[in-house]
Amino acid sequence: MSENRTAIVYRMVMDKHVCPWGLKTVHLLKSAGYKVEDHWLRTRAETDAFKAEHGVKTTPQTFIGGRRIGGHDDVRRHLGRPVRDPDAVSYRPVIAIFGMAAAMALAVSWLVAGTIATVLAAELFVSLAMCLLAVQKLQDVDGFATMFLGYDLLARRWVPYASIYPFAEGLAGVLMTSHALDWLSVPIALFIGGIGAVSVFYAVYIQKRELKCACVGGGSNVPLGFVSLTENLMMVAMGVWMLAR
């Protein structure tokens, strides 16, 4: 194997800490066909000395052909691999939640009815999605509320509503999943879904504002818009459906 296909990696491997980025870097290089000379930095003092010697702030560090490439993301760029931008807009959290809700709904439908083509599957998809979305918000209620206050019309008039919303969504989702206490779950879904739909429509399509959606929690980069409106309209539709049946 030629010299330029050999990579030298320096990474932290200590008794109580093995750098995950170092492991990912070594795997990445080997997968790309490089022979890896894996050098372990076994102590904090050894790590600090390496950083000072090479004028770097982090490890792992990779060298190829006598030239320092850098850390894990730098290696990905060197290999022509994409590097995730933590600040980039992404629909991935929403896709994951709705995808898992759909899979769970179909699984339960198959278990109960022996087929996935049931009304129950459609009902469960909405109610389980509500539960999963509520879980995301409940992980950081204050963070969710801070983002929610940026666009929700009721929350901006009565601030506590922003903190109540995740619990209301979760309660309605659980009750609708069990088909219990419709007299409680239906009004909750219609109320929070209706206000949410109006708020999103007003902020995005009337005011033309560019906001981040609080739908999957306070730390998301999901843009407020079609997905947020769909979430709220699904709740309203579920409430109307359960009221009608």
Side-chain angles (χ1 to χ4, degrees):
M1 187 174 292
S2 61
E3 184 179 353
N4 65 353
R5 297 300 293 176
T6 298
I8 303 173
V9 178
Y10 292 85
R11 62 188 180 98
M12 286 190 292
V13 180
M14 303 177 184
D15 290 340
K16 296 183 178 181
H17 175 68
V18 176
C19 176
W21 297 107
L23 288 169
K24 293 178 71 173
T25 297
V26 170
H27 174 74
L28 180 63
L29 289 164
K30 288 183 176 179
S31 298
Y34 281 82
K35 176 183 177 182
V36 177
E37 293 183 12
D38 192 8
H39 295 268
W40 292 3
L41 303 172
R42 298 178 180 274
T43 64
R44 176 57 60 184
E46 189 175 351
T47 301
D48 292 341
F50 171 84
K51 291 178 181 179
E53 178 185 354
H54 294 278
V56 297
K57 295 182 179 181
T58 62
T59 60
Q61 291 292 321
T62 299
F63 298 79
I64 298 176
R67 180 170 69 90
R68 185 176 71 84
I69 303 301
H72 174 266
D73 285 354
D74 298 308
V75 172
R76 289 191 65 88
R77 294 186 187 95
H78 179 77
L79 297 176
R81 306 286 179 86
V83 176
R84 180 178 175 271
D85 180 2
D87 297 322
V89 168
S90 173
Y91 288 99
R92 186 174 298 177
V94 176
I95 294 171
I97 289 172
F98 284 131
M100 182 55 69
M104 293 168 67
L106 295 174
V108 173
S109 177
W110 181 269
L111 175 65
V112 172
T115 177
I116 61 174
T118 64
V119 173
L120 175 64
E123 293 176 344
L124 287 174
F125 167 67
V126 177
S127 63
L128 291 173
M130 290 169 63
C131 293
L132 294 174
L133 287 164
V135 167
Q136 297 299 308
K137 300 174 179 72
L138 289 169
Q139 292 182 80
D140 182 7
V141 174
D142 187 62
F144 161 79
T146 300
M147 290 182 66
F148 194 61
L149 285 165
Y151 60 87
D152 188 82
L153 297 176
L154 177 56
R156 293 169 75 174
R157 288 180 174 271
W158 188 52
V159 173
Y161 175 67
S163 298
I164 294 172
Y165 184 98
F167 296 94
E169 182 179 34
L171 176 61
V174 169
L175 292 178
M176 286 180 165
T177 298
S178 62
H179 287 198
L181 304 181
D182 290 356
W183 60 267
L184 179 60
S185 64
V186 170
I188 291 175
L190 291 174
F191 183 79
I192 66 176
I195 292 174
V198 172
S199 298
V200 171
F201 186 85
Y202 180 71
V204 176
Y205 300 103
I206 303 299
Q207 293 185 314
K208 306 294 184 182
R209 299 171 64 192
E210 293 184 2
L211 296 170
K212 296 292 175 59
C213 180
C215 52
V216 291
S220 72
N221 285 323
V222 177
L224 183 69
F226 176 76
V227 173
S228 321
L229 187 59
T230 301
E231 174 197 359
N232 288 290
L233 291 177
M234 282 173 56
M235 280 193 279
V236 172
M238 185 67 169
V240 171
W241 167 256
M242 296 192 72
L243 188 63
R245 72 177 180 82

